[in-house]
Amino acid sequence: MLSKKVKTRIFFLSLSVLVLIAVIFFILKSLEENVVYFFSPSEIYNKTNISFNKKIRVGGLVKINSINKKDSSINFIITDLKKEIIVTYKGLVPNLFSEGKGVVAEGKLKDRKYFIADKILAKHDENYMPPEVSKALEKSDN
Amino acid sequence: MMDLDFFILGGYGQFVWPAFIFSFVSCAFLFLKVKRELQKQEQKYLIKYGEFETENIETVEKTQISKKVLSGSSI
Amino acid sequence: MFKNFFPNKILSITYTKINGLVSLLIAVLVVGLIYSLIISPPDYIQGDSVRIMYVHVPSSFLALGCFGFIGVASILNLIFKIKFMPLLSKSLAPAGCIFAIISIITGSLWGKPTWGIWWVWDARLTSMLILLIFYIAYILTWKLVKSFEKANKISSIIGIVGLLNIPVIKYSVDWWNTLHQPSSITLTSAPTIHYTMLIPLLIMFLGMLIYTLIIFLMQYKIEVIKFKLKKKKYLK
C-alpha cells in the first residue's frame, strides 16, 4: 500500500514526464527537416517546398554501373530503387564509396533530377562479415 | 620480428590503434583517480572511527533505513 | 539481492574483492584484445577499420545502460525518497561518462576512414553528444551544489529528463535518415554480425561490464564513506 504522499508524487511525476514527452515529440516533429540527415531521391521528388540554392543532402545507393569518372570529376546516380538522381562531384571520394553501396552527397540541387555535390560521404550498412563469407554468399546467390 | 601488418592493419592502423589506446588510457585514468580517492576517504574514515565496524554499523543502519523506507510508505 | 546495495554492505567490500575483480578484468581483456586485434577477420567492406567496433559498441551500450539506471533510480528517488538511492546512481555516473566520451572519440576515429568524415550532425551522433552533456550536468550538479537535498533534487530531474533521451538515441537510426548505420544486434532478430566478429564483441563487452562494476563499487564506497563522515548522526 502506498501512502497518499507517495501517490501524489507518482501522479505529479508521471504528469510532468508525459508533458515533457509531448513537448519533445512536437519539437522533434517540427524540426524534422533538420533532424533527418539526408533525403532520398523519392523524398526530393515529392518535396513541395524545394529550394535550389540551399545546401541539402541526398542519400541512397550508388546505382550499379553508373559511376563515370573523367579527369577530376565523377558522375554517378543515387537511387532508392524507386527514383534516381544524377550526381556530379569534383574531388576525392571516401575509400568505401563504391557501386551498390550506400552514399550521402552534400550540395545543391540543380533540378529534381540533377545534383551538384561538394562533399561525398560513404554510408555502410549494419552487416559485418569476413570477406570469405561475403564471397560465399555471393556465390550462393548466383 | 613482429609482423608489420599487425600495426598497419591495411592502412587503418592509424585509426584503430588510437581508438584502442584512447579507450584504455581513459579507463586506466578513471580507475586510478577513483582508487586514490577511495584510499583518501578510507583514511579519513579510519581516523574518525578507528575501523570499519560493519556489524555494529549494520544494525544501526538497518533500523535507520527501514525507518526511511517506512516513512515514505505506510505498510 | 537488493540488500547488497545497502550502504553498510559496501563498507565490507575490501581491496581483496576489488583486486579479484581487477584480475578477472585483466584476463578477460587480454583474451578480448587478442580476439579483436588478431584472431577476428577484417570486414568484407570496411577492412581492418571494423576492429574499432570492438571498443565503440560496448562503450556506447554501457554509456546508455548506466544512464538508464541513473534515470530509473532518479524516478524511484523522487517518489520514495530512499536515502541510499542517490548515492547509488551517483556512483554509476563516472563510468558511464567515460564510456560516453570513449564512444564519441572512437566513433569519430571509425567515421573518418569509413564515412570519410570525423563528425556529422545526424540524429544518432547528436543525441549521443546530448547524453554526454547530461552526464556532465549530472556530475557537475553533485560537485557544485553544496546542499545534499538540493543537489539530490536537481540531479534527479537531470536523470529523468536524460532518461527520455535514451530511447531517442536507440531508435534515432530507425526514426530518421542518419549517416550512422542501424543496429546490428537487436532483441527481435538475429544479429547481422558474423559470429567470428560477434565473439570479440561479446568478450570486450563482458570486460567493460566488469570494469563498470569495479568503478561502481569503489565509487559507491567513497560516496557512503563521505556521507557517513558528513552526517555522523546516521551512525550512532
Side-chain angles (χ1 to χ4, degrees):
Chain A
M1 284 293 109
L2 301 169
S3 76
K4 211 173 170 189
K5 232 170 154 184
V6 170
K7 271 184 191 154
T8 27
R9 276 189 215 135
I10 292 176
F11 175 73
F12 279 110
L13 198 65
S14 17
L15 195 72
S16 35
V17 165
L18 281 179
V19 170
L20 205 61
I21 289 175
V23 169
I24 292 173
F25 178 79
F26 285 118
I27 290 177
L28 286 177
K29 256 287 180 259
S30 65
L31 289 176
E32 183 133 35
E33 289 264 299
N34 300 305
V35 178
V36 292
Y37 189 66
F38 60 84
F39 299 104
S40 68
S42 301
E43 280 164 343
I44 301 263
Y45 186 82
N46 296 324
K47 217 164 174 285
T48 45
N49 57 335
I50 206 153
S51 69
F52 293 100
N53 38 29
K54 216 177 101 193
K55 249 190 194 176
I56 59 161
R57 294 184 205 94
V58 181
L61 296 172
V62 181
K63 199 180 174 190
I64 310 259
N65 293 328
S66 77
I67 296 183
N68 192 351
K69 274 184 197 171
K70 49 180 176 197
D71 299 329
S72 60
S73 72
I74 176 169
N75 292 309
F76 60 95
I77 294 171
I78 292 183
T79 173
D80 58 3
L81 307 175
K82 286 182 216 110
K83 291 274 178 287
E84 295 176 348
I85 284 186
I86 301 164
V87 178
T88 175
Y89 171 70
K90 254 187 188 149
L92 289 169
V93 291
N95 287 348
L96 261 58
F97 174 83
S98 66
E99 293 183 341
K101 299 283 178 257
V103 69
V104 175
E106 187 177 304
K108 284 173 188 167
L109 274 174
K110 199 133 192 237
D111 58 53
R112 276 174 205 271
K113 306 222 108 179
Y114 196 75
F115 190 79
I116 301 166
D118 49 28
K119 204 192 275 170
I120 297 284
L121 303 174
K123 179 172 160 57
H124 61 86
D125 60 16
E126 70 277 26
N127 297 302
Y128 304 90
M129 57 186 136
E132 310 88 70
V133 177
S134 143
K135 265 182 212 140
L137 275 180
E138 262 170 41
K139 242 180 222 165
S140 65
D141 275 353
N142 293 335
Chain B
M1 209 185 102
M2 274 293 261
D3 199 345
L4 212 61
D5 285 349
F6 177 63
F7 294 102
I8 296 169
L9 288 173
Y12 291 118
Q14 50 171 322
F15 300 104
V16 175
W17 289 107
F20 276 80
I21 290 166
F22 177 82
S23 311
F24 184 79
V25 168
S26 37
C27 283
F29 169 78
L30 180 69
F31 176 79
L32 294 176
K33 187 174 163 271
V34 172
K35 193 170 178 181
R36 262 227 320 257
E37 175 74 13
L38 179 59
Q39 281 163 343
K40 207 176 99 191
Q41 295 297 333
E42 279 183 335
Q43 214 60 50
K44 272 193 197 167
Y45 190 90
L46 287 177
I47 288 166
K48 200 158 180 183
Y49 298 111
E51 54 180 320
F52 286 103
E53 292 173 276
T54 44
E55 276 308 306
N56 214 344
I57 299 161
E58 206 165 334
T59 45
V60 184
E61 271 297 314
K62 237 174 212 162
T63 49
Q64 284 293 337
I65 284 162
S66 41
K67 261 183 212 158
K68 294 269 143 49
V69 175
L70 288 175
S71 70
S73 61
S74 69
I75 297 167
Chain C
M1 170 65 200
F2 202 55
K3 264 190 184 155
N4 289 326
F5 289 114
F6 277 9
N8 48 60
K9 288 275 181 187
I10 195 72
L11 290 181
S12 59
I13 295 273
T14 54
Y15 278 109
T16 16
K17 282 178 195 161
I18 287 176
N19 285 341
L21 278 175
V22 171
S23 332
L24 182 66
L25 170 67
I26 291 170
V28 173
L29 270 192
V30 167
V31 177
L33 286 175
I34 289 173
Y35 255 102
S36 47
L37 288 168
I38 301 169
I39 298 179
S40 74
D43 182 62
Y44 73 121
I45 299 175
Q46 302 185 33
D48 284 297
S49 70
V50 79
R51 299 183 194 281
I52 296 174
M53 174 172 74
Y54 306 132
V55 282
H56 176 74
V57 171
S59 49
S60 315
F61 193 84
L62 281 167
L64 261 72
C66 286
F67 209 96
F69 270 103
I70 291 174
V72 173
S74 299
I75 292 175
L76 295 177
N77 183 28
L78 280 190
I79 292 176
F80 297 106
K81 315 241 176 214
I82 305 166
K83 262 274 147 28
F84 64 93
M85 214 44 125
L87 303 183
L88 211 75
S89 50
K90 198 179 163 187
S91 314
L92 269 169
C97 184
I98 214 90
F99 281 132
I101 295 171
I102 290 174
S103 164
I104 288 172
I105 298 287
T106 57
S108 62
L109 280 166
W110 194 9
K112 184 63 186 167
T114 50
W115 300 336
I117 196 165
W118 297 102
W119 177 267
V120 292
W121 293 100
D122 84 345
R124 172 56 80 79
L125 277 68
T126 308
S127 56
M128 199 63 200
L129 186 67
I130 291 172
L131 176 71
L132 177 60
I133 293 168
F134 270 108
Y135 266 121
I136 293 170
Y138 185 89
I139 292 169
L140 279 185
T141 307
W142 280 112
K143 276 232 161 72
L144 299 179
V145 180
K146 286 280 172 284
S147 137
F148 183 86
E149 298 302 324
K150 221 178 190 174
N152 187 16
K153 251 184 209 136
I154 299 172
S155 67
S156 295
I157 292 169
I158 293 173
I160 293 170
V161 178
L163 183 65
L164 299 179
N165 185 33
I166 301 286
V168 175
I169 301 175
K170 178 81 186 66
Y171 294 107
S172 54
V173 286
D174 304 323
W175 290 344
W176 301 290
N177 291 338
T178 54
L179 186 60
H180 195 285
Q181 66 282 6
S183 314
S184 301
I185 302 173
T186 53
L187 286 175
T188 45
S189 53
T192 56
I193 302 178
H194 192 256
Y195 76 93
T196 49
M197 299 163 144
L198 200 58
I199 292 170
L201 190 62
L202 293 177
I203 298 174
M204 290 301 276
F205 178 70
L206 180 67
M208 291 195 189
L209 199 65
I210 298 170
Y211 174 82
T212 312
L213 185 66
I214 293 169
I215 297 292
F216 165 72
L217 287 175
M218 294 204 298
Q219 190 67 40
Y220 190 40
K221 195 170 177 184
I222 292 172
E223 300 301 343
V224 172
I225 290 175
K226 271 187 178 168
F227 192 76
K228 282 180 189 288
L229 285 173
K230 231 189 242 167
K231 306 197 168 188
K232 53 177 186 269
K233 61 176 177 196
Y234 285 108
L235 252 183
K236 293 229 158 94

